[in-house]
């Protein structure tokens, strides 16, 4: 249980060859022994958004005082901050958080969330087939209830069930615009090869409490496909620390891919979980090569970022001729999971420091935010050796549809520099017209975002530094009005590779075309026609985006 000691080394310098052990949990967390794994599956056709219910149609669901608690699992935290961790979490026998069934005729659902990335604190039965659910806040905080992932057993096929999560934190959500929860049936997976799919009718998101801060409710109805099934619900397609470990072990065991990809430990997290760093480039000298740095999962509840990163790695490590060209041109530094502790325990936003790591860049201490500190230091070391042409941090977004980017327009630079900031996202929108929305991109550098990876890397000297935001829901572009599948998310990584080649094409035609187009878009936004004599270059980014 003693904290892992690390030998002294230069900041950002990777450790020895990567070795991933079982996840380490805070000692307050109980963990069931079963291994939870899901098959990958792509629906045969896009899953449409559901018609959103208005707030006036929201049902007044009963609360805990009118029901029976049938599941309650909340870690008893030893103080207000993290102290120590171990594989398997809390020692000793597991408690029994679920009420036992009274017999075969008892139709009460059996809930469970004490597994990797799971989050459900309490379930209250308020009707024969109706449940009010409470999510666990991020560990060592009282906030950030958004991510959910839990198991139910003892299902019945015929009844219409209603579930209401009663303590969602955000006042606005894509659940109010047609987003539906994800559902997984173990019987369907085993017998039909069907994986995660969207379910729910009468999906409604509305204000629930009158207190401060207010809480919001997510409610949906559904019928289970089978009697006696084991099922799961989740906010997004789960991608756990163990999923990443399996992927990286397969990569290390592949003699072809491991020739141009090395996996090292960037550092260890507060709980002692390894933060892997991948270096991808063609064999031989790296002299004259520029660098590209990518990261994901600083916010653990944004699992779509991991699937986009998975697609990026799949393509870049493939024998495709464009992937070979990228490996010849660049040195890629990739941190696929910046916040493994948060992913393991099922947090939405924070690390075990109880704070958002994506507000700690530039001021983080290695003892509090080790992955953020070592990533920042690693980029600083890269900049001393070579140009870093691009930094991109993969995120998920809970309030806006489609995929878009946040960039860095400081407002004080010349017109050419400000236009260049917009070229990469504009190119990506052309390569992904049914997913990426250039009009949703923002480039203002707000004071509240100074501690983000995007702004911090830009301040270091990475001229093109972005946050890639992937909607929790899906796309409304090119005639679509449907959820993203896992395949959609993975395709984003491939499209990012295509766009990088376009962006760095030595032939200037594509770049010049996008510069002209970006200038025309900004002129139009300012209601100034081309040739009118006015210029947007003296207008601040906040005015441009207002």
């Amino acid at each position: 249980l003693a904290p892992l000691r690390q030998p002294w080394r230069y900041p950002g310098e990777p450790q020895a060859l990567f070795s991933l052990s079982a996840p380490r949990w805070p000692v307050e967390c109980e963990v069931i022994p079963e291994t939870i794994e899901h098959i990958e599956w792509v629906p045969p056709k896009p899953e449409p958004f559901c018609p959103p219910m208005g707030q006036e149609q929201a049902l007044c669901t009963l609360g805990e005082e009118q029901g029976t608690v049938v599941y309650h699992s909340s870690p008893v935290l030893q103080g207000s901050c993290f102290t120590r961790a171990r594989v398997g979490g809390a020692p000793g026998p597991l408690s029994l958080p679920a009420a036992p069934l009274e017999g075969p005729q008892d139709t009460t659902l059996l809930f469970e969330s004490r597994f990797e990335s799971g989050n459900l604190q309490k379930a209250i039965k308020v009707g024969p087939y109706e449940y009010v659910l409470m999510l666990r806040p991020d560990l060592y905080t009282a906030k950030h209830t958004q991510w959910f992932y839990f198991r139910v057993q003892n299902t019945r096929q015929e009844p219409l069930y209603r579930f209401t999560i009663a303590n969602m934190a955000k006042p606005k959500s894509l659940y109010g615009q047609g987003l539906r929860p994800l559902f997984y049936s173990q019987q369907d997976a085993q017998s039909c090869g069907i994986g995660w799919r969207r379910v729910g009718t009468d999906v409604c998101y509305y204000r629930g409490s009158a207190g401060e801060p207010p809480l919001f409710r997510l409610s949906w109805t559904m019928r289970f496909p089978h009697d006696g099934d084991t099922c799961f619900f989740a906010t997004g397609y789960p991608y756990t620390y163990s999923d990443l470990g399996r992927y990286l072990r397969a990569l290390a065991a592949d003699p072809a891919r491991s020739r141009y990809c090395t996996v090292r430990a960037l550092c260890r997290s507060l709980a002692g979980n390894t933060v892997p760093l991948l270096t991808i480039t063609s064999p031989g000298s790296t002299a004259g090569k520029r660098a590209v740095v990518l990261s994901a999962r600083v916010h653990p509840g944004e699992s779509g970022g991991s699937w986009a990163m998975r697609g990026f790695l799949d393509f870049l490590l493939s024998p495709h001729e464009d992937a070979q060209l990228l490996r010849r041109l660049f040195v890629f530094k990739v941190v696929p999971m910046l916040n493994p502790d948060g992913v393991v325990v099922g947090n939405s936003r924070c690390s075990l420091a109880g704070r958002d790591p994506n507000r700690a860049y530039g001021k983080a201490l290695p003892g509090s935010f080790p992955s953020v500190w070592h990533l920042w230091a690693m980029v600083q070391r890269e900049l001393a050796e070579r140009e870093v042409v691009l930094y991109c941090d993969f995120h998920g977004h809970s309030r806006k549809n489609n995929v878009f980017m946040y960039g860095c327009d400081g407002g004080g630079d010349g017109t050419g520099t400000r236009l260049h900031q917009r070229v990469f996202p504009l190119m990506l929108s052309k390569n992904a017209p049914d997913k990426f929305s250039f009009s949703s991109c923002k480039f203002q550098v707000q004071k509240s975002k100074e501690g983000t990876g995007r702004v911090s890397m830009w301040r270091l000297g990475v001229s093109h530094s972005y946050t890639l935001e992937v909607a929790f829901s899906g796309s409304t572009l090119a005639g679509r009005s449907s959820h993203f599948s896992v395949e959609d998310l993975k395709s984003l990584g491939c499209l990012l590779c295509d766009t990088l080649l376009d962006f760095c094409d030595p032939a200037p035609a594509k770049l010049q075309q996008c510069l002209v187009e970006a200038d025309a878009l900004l002129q139009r936004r300012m209601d100034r026609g081309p040739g009118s004599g006015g210029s947007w270059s003296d207008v601040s980014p906040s005015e441009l985006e207002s």
Side-chain angles (χ1 to χ4, degrees):
L1 296 179
L4 293 175
R5 302 187 184 278
Q6 301 178 49
W8 186 89
R9 59 196 174 90
Y10 288 107
E13 182 183 8
Q15 297 180 17
L17 192 63
F18 171 78
S19 175
L20 187 100
S21 59
R24 294 172 61 88
W25 297 70
V27 293
E28 300 95 340
C29 295
E30 291 189 335
V31 185
I32 61 173
E34 294 100 313
T35 300
I36 307 295
E37 292 187 53
H38 306 292
I39 64 169
E40 286 186 39
W41 176 73
V42 178
K45 56 184 180 180
E47 298 176 291
F49 296 148
C50 70
M53 289 178 64
Q55 291 197 10
E56 68 281 355
Q57 297 173 269
L59 298 178
C60 182
T61 306
L62 297 173
E64 179 179 347
E65 61 279 0
Q66 290 89 21
T68 303
V69 176
V70 295
Y71 178 81
H72 191 188
S73 175
S74 184
V76 180
L77 303 181
Q78 301 171 2
S80 59
C81 61
F82 168 75
T83 54
R84 55 198 181 119
R86 67 190 294 273
V87 173
L94 292 174
S95 64
L96 298 174
L101 298 177
E102 296 179 357
Q105 77 287 350
D106 191 342
T107 61
T108 301
L109 291 177
L110 296 173
F111 291 84
E112 183 59 84
S113 65
R114 295 172 298 169
F115 49 81
E116 197 174 347
S117 294
N119 190 316
L120 177 69
Q121 181 169 287
K122 186 184 291 188
I124 305 135
K125 187 176 183 179
V126 296
Y129 303 104
E130 183 171 358
Y131 295 85
V132 173
L133 311 176
M134 303 293 287
L135 305 183
R136 173 188 53 72
D138 284 3
L139 284 185
Y140 313 107
T141 81
K143 302 185 293 183
H144 309 301
T145 44
Q146 177 171 272
W147 168 261
F148 59 87
Y149 177 29
F150 57 89
R151 184 180 77 186
V152 295
Q153 294 174 308
N154 197 38
T155 61
R156 297 293 190 273
Q157 186 177 8
E158 289 300 322
L160 182 69
Y161 288 81
R162 175 174 289 279
F163 299 95
T164 301
I165 298 175
N167 65 332
M168 301 289 277
K170 293 194 174 183
K172 292 184 179 180
S173 170
L174 287 165
Y175 287 111
Q177 301 177 43
L179 170 62
R180 296 194 291 168
L182 277 165
F183 170 78
Y184 186 95
S185 160
Q186 208 149 282
Q187 285 193 33
D188 281 348
Q190 291 168 353
S191 61
C192 309
I194 295 173
W196 287 100
R197 61 187 189 264
R198 301 286 174 176
V199 299
T201 51
D202 299 332
V203 179
C204 189
Y205 194 88
Y206 58 101
R207 182 166 176 155
S209 74
E212 290 296 334
L215 295 176
F216 299 84
R217 293 190 165 207
L218 166 63
S219 179
W220 72 94
T221 59
M222 67 159 294
R223 285 186 168 87
F224 288 103
H226 307 285
D227 289 334
D229 201 357
T230 294
C231 301
F232 296 83
F233 292 95
T235 308
Y237 302 101
Y239 194 95
T240 66
Y241 182 62
S242 293
D243 289 331
L244 176 63
R246 283 186 283 271
Y247 183 83
L248 294 182
R249 279 193 291 272
L251 173 59
D254 185 332
R257 294 186 296 171
S258 58
R259 285 182 61 244
Y260 39 77
C261 177
T262 58
V263 186
R264 297 284 190 271
L266 176 70
C267 62
R268 290 190 183 272
S269 67
L270 290 182
N273 290 307
T274 302
V275 180
L277 168 67
L278 284 65
T279 302
I280 303 169
T281 193
S282 56
S285 172
T286 60
K289 290 186 178 182
R290 294 182 287 177
V292 175
V293 181
L294 296 101
S295 58
R297 223 49 194 284
V298 69
H299 292 152
E302 299 169 6
S303 60
S306 279
W307 289 104
M309 179 63 79
R310 164 85 174 270
F312 173 83
L313 292 173
D314 283 348
F315 181 82
L316 186 62
L317 295 168
S318 74
H320 193 283
E321 59 181 14
D322 284 350
Q324 294 182 47
L325 177 58
L326 285 166
R327 296 194 297 265
R328 287 198 301 270
L329 291 174
F330 301 104
V331 177
F332 292 88
K333 297 285 187 178
V334 182
V335 184
M337 193 170 283
L338 271 169
N339 187 356
D341 294 349
V343 172
V344 167
V345 302
N347 277 2
S348 291
R349 198 166 185 88
C350 297
S351 69
L352 295 184
R355 289 168 52 199
D356 182 350
N358 202 39
R359 296 295 183 273
Y361 282 89
K363 55 188 177 184
L365 297 173
S368 299
F369 299 97
S371 60
V372 161
W373 190 81
H374 280 281
L375 174 62
W376 186 84
M378 184 268 288
V379 172
Q380 201 171 33
R381 285 166 61 86
E382 283 295 310
L383 284 165
E385 296 178 13
R386 66 184 87 247
E387 179 190 356
V388 178
V389 69
L390 180 81
Y391 170 72
C392 188
D393 191 22
F394 291 27
H395 283 250
H397 207 282
S398 65
R399 291 168 296 169
K400 289 170 69 174
N401 284 307
N402 307 312
V403 183
F404 52 95
M405 278 180 152
Y406 293 136
C408 297
D409 178 353
D413 298 317
T415 303
T417 301
R418 297 180 70 186
L419 281 175
H420 264 274
Q421 287 290 333
R422 291 160 170 82
V423 168
F424 190 90
L426 183 57
M427 286 181 166
L428 186 51
S429 72
K430 294 177 180 297
N431 288 331
D434 63 333
K435 299 180 184 71
F436 192 94
S437 169
F438 181 72
S439 63
S440 296
C441 296
K442 303 286 185 183
F443 300 89
Q444 181 184 359
V445 180
Q446 298 169 302
K447 188 174 181 181
S448 62
K449 302 299 175 71
E450 284 289 340
T452 62
R454 161 181 61 102
V455 177
S456 178
M457 300 306 176
W458 178 64
R459 297 279 188 213
L460 269 182
V462 181
S463 54
H464 298 94
S465 183
Y466 302 99
T467 301
L468 180 73
E469 295 281 359
V470 182
F472 283 18
S473 53
S475 171
T476 59
L477 304 173
R480 283 188 63 165
S481 185
S482 58
H483 295 85
F484 287 139
S485 66
V486 164
E487 204 58 39
D488 283 323
L489 298 175
K490 288 162 68 174
S491 74
L492 293 171
C494 175
L495 293 164
L496 196 79
C497 290
D498 286 345
T499 305
L500 183 59
L501 285 176
D502 291 337
F503 186 65
C504 297
D505 192 334
K510 292 178 183 176
L511 178 66
Q512 291 301 324
Q513 176 191 338
C514 286
L515 286 171
V516 170
E517 189 172 333
D519 182 60
L521 287 169
L522 289 171
Q523 292 278 21
R524 208 173 302 139
R525 181 167 285 185
M526 296 302 298
D527 293 321
R528 296 169 177 165
S532 64
S535 172
W536 55 264
S537 61
D538 56 343
V539 178
S540 70
S542 60
E543 289 179 281
L544 281 175
E545 293 172 5
S546 64

